[in-house]
Amino acid sequence: MRKVVRTRIFTVVLTSLILLALILLSSFPGSPLNHLTSPVSAIFKPIQSSFRSVTGNISDFWISLTDGMSIRQENEKLAQENAQLKNKVSQLEAAGRNYEELKTALQLKDKFDRYEIAGARILTRELGTWFDVFKIGSGTADGITITESESFAVVDAQSRLIGRVLSSDLTTAKVLPLLHEGFAVSARVNEVNGAIVRLRGDIELKEDNLCVADQIPTSSDLRIGDELVTSGLGGLFPEGILIGSIIEFRDDAAGRKIAIVRPSVDFDNMSVVFIMKGLQS
Amino acid sequence: MRFLKKHGRQILVYSIYIISLTVFQFALSGWLVPISYMPDLVLILVVVCGSFFGSDDGMIIGILAGFLRDMMVGRVLGLGMLLFMFAGLTASIFLKNSIRRNPLLTIIQVAAVSLIYEIVIVILTFLFPMLPDQVYSFDMLINLRYSDALRKILVNVVAAVPIMFLLHYAGPYRRGQQRTGMEDEGEGGHAWHKI
């Protein structure tokens, strides 16, 4: 009897030690241990994809039902707005012509046209603290290989920042979202000589889909409504990806000024993301 | 071959439950049901297995279910396996020396393990901040998780009822099956569920 208990305790301790070692080793970026999940991921990916399609269809159907009521109310508002917008359109058409002329003159290109971009479907969403990354259907087989010094920015269809790739196996990858408390990126205000700040997720604010800009230079003149884009410093994210805009200023626990930022991307309605794989050769 | 003959039913039934509950959880959570209102179906499965079928089943199911959790949404590989393994073990150890296992006690176990799970998550967040200069106070983390944790425990308890029915009537062992040669009944180890 005592022997059985001792054997059981030994088994539990040994298993715990093995799992602790697994946690430590798999936490390194690009750890080959992350490939342990490859065979199971390969089986689960099509199952998750099909379930996602089904739930997506149900969700769309439900939204269309509930939207019917609000559409009628919105219709009245829109009629009023329509009149105002017609007026603005004529002004903007003139501005647009000017912009096209300038664009041609300066030979502007689309911001990220030199980047190889790969689309991937979101397979799973986060489940709470410590299980709060999401999984996408692209992996090392699609060129998403993470190393200690290399990761990839993840954006939406409008090139707005969603997060970065955290780890990958053969067919899938995990994405650390912008709202996550472990996410940090160098950002700058989207204007000429805009101030450089650090943008990070915050555990208190992520429920409200908000994040924080800190390390604000004392000399900077940040204002509510200022847009933040990636600064390109650090080399992980290309410069100029839209992050979000400042909605509020606060003081942190140490009395330093921080800005509350609302990300531009709509985290609740994402189904496909785009990975910026790097400069095309 | 003999192993498969002996444990084939357990392997099949547990595989079906783990995979289907994991897929079901991720198909609904965050898409059709808000995350804070979604019961942790896999945690419940592990606790009920530990409570009904003892520490070996609880531990093994915990590790397998944790692996899938880590694979899907874990920051690192192994944390879910460790947490769920101890969830299964805790559920089996609760009734040591041995109160006969009954559904009400299993429900209490689900609530208790859900609470412990939430507390462990807070402790982990406090001990291992993701950004070195961004340390959250323990009080703040507790306050942040408090209302969410209560709701989570409640939905877990509600969701435990159908899972208990499933495991009782369509479980990994035939009903009334008495394991033989298990030397440690009453230690939470292999004590058989007889309701």
Side-chain angles (χ1 to χ4, degrees):
Chain A
M1 181 70 182
R2 199 174 288 171
K3 195 180 168 191
V4 172
V5 173
R6 224 180 289 155
T7 311
R8 180 153 299 142
I9 291 170
F10 176 74
T11 311
V12 170
V13 171
L14 185 68
T15 314
S16 302
L17 288 175
I18 292 169
L19 291 178
L20 283 172
L22 186 62
I23 293 170
L24 275 176
L25 295 173
S26 69
S27 64
F28 293 113
S31 165
L33 283 175
N34 288 315
H35 286 277
L36 284 175
T37 59
S38 290
V40 189
S41 287
I43 297 166
F44 264 76
K45 188 181 165 185
I47 301 173
Q48 289 291 143
S49 293
S50 28
F51 260 85
R52 257 302 296 138
S53 300
V54 172
T55 51
N57 290 340
I58 295 170
S59 177
D60 290 346
F61 176 70
W62 179 250
I63 288 167
S64 67
L65 281 181
T66 51
D67 278 359
M69 309 248 295
S70 57
I71 283 171
R72 200 180 298 168
Q73 293 167 344
E74 274 183 33
N75 198 28
E76 289 174 18
K77 266 190 199 171
L78 290 173
Q80 290 177 355
E81 281 178 22
N82 194 27
Q84 294 169 349
L85 288 174
K86 272 183 183 169
N87 184 29
K88 275 190 180 171
V89 163
S90 59
Q91 293 173 23
L92 288 173
E93 276 174 349
R97 277 192 296 274
N98 289 340
Y99 171 72
E100 286 301 322
E101 285 165 13
L102 279 171
K103 189 180 173 185
T104 314
L106 294 170
Q107 294 183 325
L108 283 176
K109 287 182 175 180
D110 289 333
K111 267 190 292 188
F112 307 114
D113 65 346
R114 288 182 305 137
Y115 273 83
E116 195 182 341
I117 292 175
R121 196 174 180 84
I122 297 178
L123 300 175
T124 61
R125 298 288 296 265
E126 69 275 17
L127 266 187
T129 315
W130 282 92
F131 299 101
D132 42 12
V133 297
F134 59 87
K135 204 169 177 69
I136 58 172
S138 272
T140 49
D142 307 294
I144 313 296
T145 305
I146 308 300
T147 63
E148 278 191 40
S149 57
E150 193 180 16
S151 180
F152 302 100
V154 180
V155 296
D156 72 354
Q158 281 80 44
S159 292
R160 298 175 296 198
L161 188 65
I162 291 172
R164 69 174 168 88
V165 180
L166 182 69
S167 64
S168 61
D169 61 23
L170 190 64
T171 54
T172 63
K174 288 176 188 169
V175 175
L176 187 73
L178 173 61
L179 299 172
H180 192 283
E181 66 270 20
F183 184 93
V185 61
S186 174
R188 68 171 169 80
V189 177
N190 194 15
E191 56 190 36
V192 179
N193 292 327
I196 305 277
V197 297
R198 178 180 73 164
L199 188 117
R200 61 171 173 83
D202 185 90
I203 201 163
E204 277 183 289
L205 296 172
K206 71 175 173 186
E207 292 292 316
D208 302 320
N209 282 359
L210 299 172
C211 46
V212 168
D214 61 6
Q215 298 178 2
I216 299 171
T218 45
S219 58
S220 66
D221 180 28
L222 266 65
R223 292 173 300 272
I224 287 173
D226 278 353
E227 269 186 356
L228 295 179
V229 295
T230 51
S231 71
L233 297 174
L236 188 61
F237 297 92
E239 188 183 352
I241 304 175
L242 181 62
I243 299 172
S245 49
I246 296 173
I247 59 162
E248 192 186 334
F249 289 102
R250 291 182 193 171
D251 288 333
D252 67 6
R256 289 167 301 214
K257 183 179 167 186
I258 58 168
I260 309 300
V261 176
R262 184 179 297 286
S264 303
V265 69
D266 181 5
F267 281 96
D268 292 330
N269 293 304
M270 289 186 308
S271 56
V272 175
V273 297
F274 297 88
I275 305 146
M276 304 185 77
K277 286 165 66 176
L279 291 171
Q280 286 174 335
S281 52
Chain B
M1 198 64 191
R2 194 182 293 170
F3 177 84
L4 270 182
K5 199 174 177 186
K6 195 176 171 189
H7 298 289
R9 182 184 162 108
Q10 285 104 296
I11 293 169
L12 182 71
V13 172
Y14 277 139
S15 304
I16 290 170
Y17 279 124
I18 293 173
I19 292 170
S20 56
L21 286 180
T22 301
V23 170
F24 192 62
Q25 173 108 44
F26 285 109
L28 295 183
S29 185
W31 304 105
L32 291 179
V33 182
I35 291 163
S36 54
Y37 288 93
M38 184 70 197
D40 196 333
L41 299 172
V42 179
L43 178 68
I44 298 166
L45 174 75
V46 172
V47 175
V48 176
C49 282
S51 174
F52 276 15
F53 310 123
S55 62
D56 284 357
D57 287 38
M59 188 173 156
I60 293 166
I61 299 308
I63 291 173
L64 294 175
F67 176 76
L68 289 186
R69 174 69 57 94
D70 287 335
M71 187 192 85
M72 298 285 191
V73 285
R75 290 181 204 173
V76 290
L77 203 57
L79 181 67
M81 296 160 85
L82 195 64
L83 288 177
F84 281 15
M85 180 186 87
F86 278 105
L89 282 173
T90 310
S92 64
I93 288 166
F94 262 11
L95 297 180
K96 196 175 171 182
N97 289 333
S98 170
I99 306 161
R100 177 166 288 186
R101 291 154 194 226
N102 69 51
L104 186 63
L105 286 172
T106 304
I107 285 176
I108 293 169
Q109 281 180 303
V110 169
V113 173
S114 301
L115 178 66
I116 295 168
Y117 180 83
E118 293 292 334
I119 293 169
V120 169
I121 290 292
V122 168
I123 293 169
L124 284 174
T125 312
F126 176 69
L127 291 179
F128 303 104
M130 290 284 283
L131 295 176
D133 65 334
Q134 200 54 47
V135 182
Y136 298 101
S137 77
F138 193 72
D139 286 349
M140 190 276 275
L141 291 171
I142 287 281
N143 287 333
L144 195 67
R145 296 290 300 168
Y146 177 70
S147 59
D148 214 28
L150 287 182
R151 188 170 46 229
K152 204 82 184 173
I153 291 166
L154 193 68
V155 291
N156 280 356
V157 165
V158 172
V161 177
I163 292 177
M164 285 164 59
F165 267 96
L166 279 172
L167 282 174
H168 182 65
Y169 290 105
Y173 304 97
R174 285 185 203 92
R175 285 186 66 204
Q177 177 185 347
Q178 183 78 46
R179 283 189 186 184
T180 52
M182 293 303 170
E183 58 289 345
D184 61 339
E185 182 160 349
E187 286 289 340
H190 299 282
W192 187 240
H193 174 58
K194 290 185 282 188
I195 300 174

